[in-house]
Amino acid sequence: MKLRDIIDCCVHLDVHEKRCDREDLFELVFFQKDVSEWERILAAFLGEPVKPQGKVPTEKDLKITEGTGGIRVEQTLFEKEFENGVIIAKFWPWKDDRCITLRMALLPTGS
């Protein structure tokens, strides 16, 4: 699985800012109005969030996200293992309730 496979399904959504587009890391800012559609697409590829917004992160959540900025209570975390590694995706809601940062990473298995 590649991060691009997921992103290609999201081209119809408005993006506020694209920050990073590499094979192993993808980051953009999208609008809060589209959060349900982003959640639907990510869940189709990665399953339901392993850490929904508002839930305290587990030690496993903290460990797997340590190289990508960690994970906090107000954030959402998706995670799924594939043959070529583990894909994680995180929503970081902004305090303005207008935008959300999406960071996805392809991590080597065992990270």
Side-chain angles (χ1 to χ4, degrees):
M1 171 65 78
K2 297 178 183 177
L3 299 180
R4 175 65 38 208
D5 296 335
I6 299 171
I7 294 307
D8 286 348
C9 291
C10 303
V11 295
H12 64 287
L13 297 169
D14 292 332
V15 172
H16 176 64
E17 176 185 359
K18 188 187 252 187
R19 295 181 173 172
C20 181
D21 188 356
R22 301 188 328 227
E23 277 190 40
D24 65 336
L25 184 67
F26 185 88
E27 184 173 327
L28 59 73
V29 178
F30 67 90
F31 296 99
Q32 173 69 37
K33 68 179 180 64
D34 294 324
V35 70
S36 295
E37 183 65 3
W38 282 100
E39 286 175 341
R40 185 191 68 73
I41 292 167
L42 287 172
F45 283 94
L46 306 176
E48 293 301 315
V50 295
K51 194 214 82 59
Q53 182 178 17
K55 181 180 173 192
V56 175
T58 65
E59 286 299 319
K60 180 180 184 265
D61 298 336
L62 294 169
K63 180 159 179 47
I64 199 159
T65 60
E66 67 187 0
T68 60
I71 190 78
R72 295 189 302 255
V73 171
E74 68 273 11
Q75 298 171 328
T76 301
L77 173 65
F78 296 83
E79 173 193 344
K80 186 170 182 179
E81 189 167 342
F82 294 93
E83 276 186 21
N84 60 329
V86 175
I87 292 181
I88 63 169
K90 302 185 287 185
F91 289 166
W92 294 12
W94 291 19
K95 295 202 184 297
D96 67 3
D97 290 326
R98 188 176 156 256
C99 294
I100 296 174
T101 300
L102 167 64
R103 183 176 288 174
M104 289 195 305
L106 174 60
L107 308 172
T109 304
S111 293

